[in-house]
Amino acid sequence: MARKLLLIDANSLIHRAFHALPHLSTADGQPTNAAFGLAQMLLALLEEQAPDEAVMVFDAPGPTFRHEMYDQYKANRPEMDEELVSQFPIIRRLVQAMGLVALERAGYEADDVIGALAARAGSEGYEIVIVTGDRDLLQLLDGGVQVLITTRGTKQVIAYDVEKFTEQYGIAPDQLADMKAFAGDTSDNIPGIAGIGEKTAAGLLSEYGTVEAVFEHADDIPGTVRSKLAGNEQDALLWKRLARIECEVPLEQEADDLAWRGLDAEALRKLLAELEFSSLLKRLPRSEAPSTEGAVAAADPDSLAAICDKARQGDTIIVVPTEHGGAAALALAAGTDIAISLILPPASAEDARQAGLFADEDQDNPIPEALVEILTDPDIAISGCRLKRLDHLLRGHELAACNLAFDAEIASYLLAPQRSDHGIGLWAAQYLGWELPESDAADAYGMPAWQARGCIEALATAQLQSRLRRDLKQQGMLELFADVEMPLVPLLAKMERAGIGVDLERLQAAGRELSGMMEQLSARIFELAGEEFNLDSPKQVGEVLFERLELPKGRKTKTGWSTAAGVLDDLAKEHEIVALILEYREYAKLRSTYVDGLEREIDPATGLVHTSFEQTVTATGRLSSRSPNLQNIPVRTEWGRQIRSCFCSGVAGYSLICADYSQIELRILAHLSQDPTLLDAFANHEDIHTYTATLIFDCERDEVNYQMRSAAKTVNYAVLYGMGPRALADALDMSVQDAKEFIENYHKRVPKVQEFLSATLEQARQTGYVSTIMGRRRPVPDLDAANARARGYAERAATNTPMQGSAADIVKLAMIELDAALQADFPEADMLLQVHDEIVLRAPAGIVPDLAVVVREVMESAYALSVPLTVDVSVGENWRDVQPLHE
């Protein structure tokens, strides 16, 4: 079988990746979209082609022999984008880690080097595959050469052989340069001969074969074409020389060994992790025997005793919970030498089938006593990953971990909040070159892979903990980590277990009402359309609106006309059917998300739902929740409020208490900007939106009506979130000029705010990040991005994060202090939810007045600002109908 040579046109693929993918960057601001796209393509290529030899051929810097022949060659091409230039060092490392030879030759283009290599390999009987986005290389096609042309994006290619080329172009591959001599090539700034296109050129070449032969027979060519050729022979020969690939390139000795030796998995794993390409890590081939610096083993009495003894000596233990198929285990380590996996017995005494190591059905606590002592000792710090899950597992055995001190995933979140993957595996790949076994693999290290994975995570935590702590300290976030984020872990676990009640009958009634309204809307929509169709199918909706009813068309997608909300919003004011479809969609979402979705999440035994709070998701530091998401229940619409009315305490005799910070982000803006006008307004307990209305409308307080206050409120938050005049105009349904004047009036009256926002943006440009009042950092690497959308998003993030992130910090601190107050004085009360600036609790009705006083005091004193923090406390039987509880 012939050996296969893979020739890759590096610059062509790099440019395609750069322009096909949106702006991407690492947390520290390094652009990466070209590198990511190239990595995708190369991994797929090498897997599909499995070459014996492979080479990445680059364009050498500087002019080539073609520029000496014609100084306007490629003169129309713009300078390379700086974002792309900055990625070439990364790309060179990527090529090396993929085991590819990199070649270039001064004075020649990559096409020429590829041509020379193809000619040499062809003479030796190789099978040759060329990969490029440049169709110039199609002229190299012959019986032993295939050319893969990248087309859309980074994944689609068209495979060309001689037959396909001839069918498409009507000439032979070796006539392509001749065709360009006549028809020109705008991409290379080759003019060709005026008035001759590809069709005419193909006809001439079909008849005569080459440029030279055409001019030899010029007298035989009919009039108009002959006149266009007249006097252009020398130019045509020059254009052919420019277009023809030069296969006589002197190659250096490095071109003698092009063998592909496979991926350097360890180097590639580190590089992909460094670039935060976590999705590509999964595509790397698994090592047959992954290497770690410590041993991995199943637990036995001796190894467990040794780890417990070492934990006592060092006052720390590393614990990583892992679960698979209903079973759970703890990976345990007390250093970097060994990690063991201990299968947990079932929490329920009814099921003793999984009562693994040391389990005794007669024991009150089936977890080994030596380990219980370690985990419940307040003087022994517990480090690891997923410590909130550990808290839940131990509580299932009526144990409480006393000192959850270091969660590597939370440390990762603080250090790189823009990452989507905060697993220790990414850090282990980047700094240690380790790979974690897939949880669903059969086995690894002589044990089930899911247990082995936990052990390697424990060893990685042992290796990297000091580094992560050092980085947190260097960035000024160690205190935030230790005093806010880590104490929050057991509190969030406790809130998840507490759950909040849902009135199932009321929820189902709301669902029936929504269904009835959807049926009425459907009937009217079908009447207007003149036919019935699937309202839940964007494709069918698009066909009805834009083809049958011939409404003004928007953009078309792969599956049909776009019916996204933005498209339909523009049509809704003029076409009743569009407005009705939008209304139908609103009801459908309410029913599916908040009625059907909530009903699925209710624990049938207790009537409670137990959301999961996510601590490592948002870039601002806010918490999020899932299963179900209780942080986006609508509050401003009547239907949203009706859904809220379904939430109750879930415990007979208990009420809900809702404590909500009033305008906390605007108060933080006043504190950070030190604008005297805002400081005075908050110090005097004025309604800030009414006050702002007096600024932007230039009127007295008693002249402010509801509409003016509402507009002022929008302006206040427009300033916070970097909303421009156009967006504000849309929000307030006014002209862009009026919106611009609103914003200008605001800044004229509170000039320190604009100064603060501008200073924040400038500091972010210099440092690459913004900070909250507690030192939380948010990288904003795209402030100088060439991509306008990415740059605009970064500017808005830079200006609003100090307020939004600081609010998140204060709320978290308040939660921790409030939890301590509950434990001390109101143990029967539970904290249930945290929704942005609001904390929801459950307590016996009899203690509500006294508890409300404490809640308000604790929250208002959680952090000292230059203006007072105020908290509105409401009480009621359900989340909608809570009533203000005044002091």
Side-chain angles (χ1 to χ4, degrees), residues 300 387 397 499 530 603 630 757:
D300 59 38
L387 294 187
H397 293 278
D603 183 334
L630 298 183
L757 295 176

Side-chain angles (χ1 to χ4, degrees), residues 510-544:
R512 289 191 295 272
E513 189 173 349
L514 282 168
S515 295
M517 298 180 73
M518 289 169 64
E519 289 176 5
Q520 292 177 23
L521 285 168
S522 298
R524 176 58 179 158
I525 290 168
F526 297 154
E527 180 183 346
L528 292 171
E531 65 176 303
E532 292 191 7
F533 58 97
N534 184 358
L535 278 165
D536 298 316
S537 166
K539 184 175 186 296
Q540 292 188 32
V541 170
E543 290 171 352
V544 168

Side-chain angles (χ1 to χ4, degrees), residues 282-293:
K282 300 172 184 176
R283 292 175 55 177
L284 296 186
R286 309 298 302 180
S287 300
E288 292 184 7
S291 61
T292 63
E293 296 177 20

Side-chain angles (χ1 to χ4, degrees), residues 73-222:
Y73 180 67
K74 293 189 177 181
N76 57 333
R77 295 197 177 183
E79 290 291 321
M80 189 181 295
D81 193 296
E82 285 299 317
E83 287 191 13
L84 179 54
V85 172
S86 72
Q87 296 183 59
F88 268 82
I90 295 171
I91 288 168
R92 293 283 186 170
R93 292 172 60 198
L94 184 67
V95 169
Q96 183 178 9
M98 289 194 169
L100 298 169
V101 175
L103 291 181
E104 61 185 51
R105 181 67 172 161
Y108 294 90
E109 296 181 49
D111 290 5
D112 302 317
V113 178
I114 289 173
L117 292 171
R120 186 177 71 177
S123 68
E124 297 173 6
Y126 276 70
E127 176 189 353
I128 301 164
V129 177
I130 299 171
V131 186
T132 181
D134 184 355
R135 292 176 181 263
D136 287 347
L137 284 165
L138 291 171
Q139 62 189 276
L140 298 177
L141 283 166
D142 65 24
V145 176
Q146 181 186 47
V147 179
L148 304 181
I149 299 288
T150 56
T151 55
R152 296 178 59 181
T154 61
K155 298 179 181 178
Q156 295 185 19
V157 298
I158 299 175
Y160 279 91
D161 55 17
V162 173
E163 182 180 356
K164 183 176 182 66
F165 177 88
T166 303
E167 179 184 344
Q168 180 170 328
Y169 286 86
I171 59 175
D174 60 5
Q175 293 176 304
L176 184 57
D178 297 83
M179 175 178 277
K180 290 177 181 288
F182 289 127
D185 185 344
T186 56
S187 66
D188 289 340
N189 204 33
I190 297 175
I193 296 177
I196 296 183
E198 289 189 356
K199 185 176 180 180
T200 300
L204 290 171
L205 295 173
S206 176
E207 179 73 20
Y208 300 107
T210 66
V211 168
E212 292 84 353
V214 168
F215 280 98
E216 286 177 10
H217 297 84
D219 292 340
D220 301 330
I221 298 172

Side-chain angles (χ1 to χ4, degrees), residues 348-502:
S348 171
E350 300 174 1
D351 185 4
R353 290 174 298 172
Q354 295 180 9
L357 191 63
F358 320 136
D360 183 341
E361 293 181 36
D362 296 329
Q363 289 180 315
D364 292 333
N365 184 2
I367 298 178
E369 187 60 34
L371 180 59
V372 171
E373 292 177 359
I374 295 293
L375 297 178
T376 57
D377 187 336
D379 295 325
I380 296 179
I382 299 174
S383 297
C385 309
R386 301 183 292 278
L387 294 187
K388 178 157 68 75
R389 184 56 191 155
L390 173 66
D391 188 278
H392 282 308
L393 288 171
L394 294 180
R395 290 285 179 172
H397 293 278
E398 299 184 351
L399 298 174
C402 288
N403 188 0
L404 300 178
F406 185 90
D407 191 310
E409 295 183 352
I410 294 174
S412 168
Y413 168 65
L414 286 180
L415 293 170
Q418 289 179 310
R419 284 185 175 180
S420 58
D421 180 359
H422 293 289
I424 192 66
L426 193 61
W427 294 85
Q430 180 175 345
Y431 294 112
L432 306 176
W434 294 2
E435 64 175 315
L436 273 59
E438 295 291 348
S439 296
D440 56 0
D443 56 60
Y445 296 92
M447 68 174 71
W450 65 276
Q451 290 181 255
R453 183 182 177 93
C455 289
I456 298 176
E457 288 178 310
L459 290 173
T461 303
Q463 289 271 5
L464 296 170
Q465 180 175 343
S466 60
R467 182 190 184 103
L468 295 171
R469 281 188 181 278
R470 180 201 68 193
D471 290 351
L472 286 169
K473 185 175 182 180
Q474 287 178 345
Q475 295 188 25
M477 290 190 287
L478 189 57
E479 186 175 347
L480 175 70
F481 174 80
D483 296 344
V484 177
E485 295 293 348
M486 285 310 304
L488 202 62
V489 172
L491 171 56
L492 293 178
K494 181 162 58 175
M495 291 167 64
E496 290 175 0
R497 289 191 293 270
I500 187 169
V502 173

Side-chain angles (χ1 to χ4, degrees), residues 563-862:
T563 60
V567 174
L568 298 190
D569 283 341
D570 294 336
L571 297 172
K573 295 177 181 178
E574 299 179 20
H575 301 278
E576 180 187 358
I577 189 172
V578 179
L580 295 176
I581 288 172
L582 285 172
E583 189 176 358
Y584 173 90
R585 285 183 175 180
E586 180 184 354
Y587 292 146
K589 181 177 179 180
L590 283 168
R591 189 185 66 179
S592 64
T593 303
Y594 303 116
V595 177
D596 300 342
L598 272 175
E599 187 171 347
R600 286 192 298 269
E601 297 289 347
I602 297 174
D603 183 334
T606 64
L608 304 175
V609 294
H610 303 269
T611 188
S612 295
F613 290 102
E614 299 296 328
Q615 203 172 345
T616 62
V617 173
T618 69
T620 60
R622 279 183 167 181
L623 295 173
S624 60
S625 77
R626 61 176 178 83
S627 302
N629 182 354
L630 298 183
Q631 295 198 322
N632 67 347
I633 306 291
V635 66
R636 292 184 176 88
T637 66
E638 180 56 39
W639 267 105
R641 289 188 287 273
Q642 187 162 335
I643 298 297
R644 281 201 167 210
S645 74
C646 299
F647 289 91
C648 56
S649 74
V651 179
Y654 280 60
S655 299
L656 289 182
I657 303 174
C658 299
D660 191 4
Y661 277 110
S662 175
Q663 302 158 349
I664 185 171
E665 292 178 15
L666 292 170
R667 294 171 190 273
I668 292 169
L669 176 62
H671 169 81
L672 292 174
S673 68
Q674 287 295 296
D675 185 272
T677 301
L678 286 183
L679 293 175
D680 287 347
F682 281 118
N684 295 327
H685 301 287
E686 295 203 39
D687 179 284
I688 195 62
H689 301 314
T690 299
Y691 188 79
T692 299
T694 68
L695 303 183
I696 62 175
F697 290 103
D698 193 20
C699 64
E700 299 298 324
R701 289 175 180 79
D702 58 5
E703 297 177 281
V704 175
N705 58 30
Y706 173 81
Q707 288 78 13
M708 295 164 69
R709 183 185 182 278
S710 179
K713 181 177 181 179
T714 302
V715 171
N716 275 328
Y717 288 102
V719 171
L720 275 179
Y721 298 117
M723 188 184 293
R726 184 171 300 279
L728 181 61
D730 291 340
L732 295 178
D733 194 20
M734 61 170 51
S735 72
V736 174
Q737 182 58 38
D738 287 346
K740 184 179 180 182
E741 289 178 5
F742 270 27
I743 295 175
E744 289 174 350
N745 286 342
Y746 179 92
H747 286 306
K748 284 178 185 176
R749 303 293 292 272
V750 285
K752 289 288 186 182
V753 168
Q754 183 61 55
E755 290 178 19
F756 164 72
L757 295 176
S758 297
T760 298
L761 196 56
E762 180 57 32
Q763 183 183 31
R765 291 190 195 282
Q766 294 176 6
T767 63
Y769 65 88
V770 288
S771 299
T772 68
I773 55 178
M774 292 188 192
R776 182 188 306 276
R777 289 188 181 187
R778 179 180 184 178
V780 279
D782 297 335
L783 287 173
D784 296 317
N787 182 287
R789 179 175 294 182
R791 187 172 62 253
Y793 177 81
E795 289 173 349
R796 291 189 294 275
T799 52
N800 74 50
T801 293
M803 283 70 74
Q804 193 176 95
S806 295
D809 290 346
I810 291 173
V811 173
K812 286 179 175 179
L813 190 60
M815 291 170 67
I816 293 165
E817 295 182 358
L818 183 55
D819 180 59
L822 296 182
Q823 291 184 58
D825 300 319
F826 301 94
E828 61 271 61
D830 294 306
M831 199 180 307
L832 307 182
L833 301 178
Q834 187 269 312
V835 182
H836 306 316
D837 306 330
E838 179 183 17
I839 298 173
V840 180
L841 304 95
R842 173 174 62 212
I847 68 168
V848 164
D850 292 338
L851 176 57
V853 172
V854 172
V855 169
R856 181 179 281 115
E857 288 177 351
V858 168
M859 292 178 66
E860 291 183 344
S861 62

